[in-house]
Amino acid sequence: VQLQASGGGLVQPGGSLRLSCAASGLTFVDHVIGWFRQAPGKEREGVSCIPSSGTNTIYADSVKGRFTISRDNAQNTVYLQMNSLKPEDTAVYYCAVGMSSWYCSEVPDDFTSWGQGTQVTVSS
């Protein structure tokens, strides 16, 4: 299984970015996909997760109303649209493959394969 995260960068507070996670080497529709982030000196935290169906997505309280997760099963890709970015969103963002097609979680141990991460920096 390979996951390629992209789309990170430097953005000013209030700005937007769209992250992409392209997956290969798996039956994509058999798995939930999650986004996590890790800031320097902090533990990895769950940001959002999307089941195979694309419904019943979950979000961390800190990003609700600002981030939107979606997936294109035909392209084996998951997206994370991030709006109204804040400095506290600065982190390396990772996508990961879950063990279920329907059960979404914010717990890293529920995910088996991880991408390399993409850096998001929110700063003026």
Side-chain angles (χ1 to χ4, degrees):
V1 177
Q2 288 191 324
L3 298 172
Q4 181 71 42
S6 61
L10 173 64
V11 63
Q12 292 187 341
S16 298
L17 285 173
R18 188 175 83 152
L19 305 184
S20 298
C21 174
S24 61
L26 77 167
T27 303
F28 191 67
V29 296
D30 285 349
H31 300 276
V32 305
I33 304 293
W35 282 101
F36 294 78
R37 65 186 181 186
Q38 188 166 20
K42 294 187 176 181
E43 291 188 354
R44 190 168 296 189
E45 65 169 342
V47 175
S48 185
C49 179
I50 186 166
S52 175
S53 65
T55 60
N56 298 319
T57 54
I58 66 170
Y59 296 92
D61 288 343
S62 58
V63 306
K64 280 180 182 176
R66 300 188 298 122
F67 290 11
T68 303
I69 192 170
S70 61
R71 65 191 289 162
D72 183 340
N73 288 337
Q75 297 294 326
N76 285 12
T77 303
V78 170
Y79 303 97
L80 186 68
Q81 178 67 44
M82 306 187 297
N83 298 329
S84 303
L85 283 161
K86 305 175 181 180
E88 51 264 44
D89 294 318
T90 295
V92 178
Y93 283 70
Y94 301 88
C95 56
V97 177
M99 290 180 277
S100 168
S101 66
W102 58 271
Y103 175 70
C104 259
S105 164
E106 296 179 16
V107 178
D109 285 348
D110 290 337
F111 293 79
T112 56
S113 299
W114 295 78
Q116 86 290 355
T118 184
Q119 176 71 48
V120 172
T121 302
V122 185
S123 175
S124 55

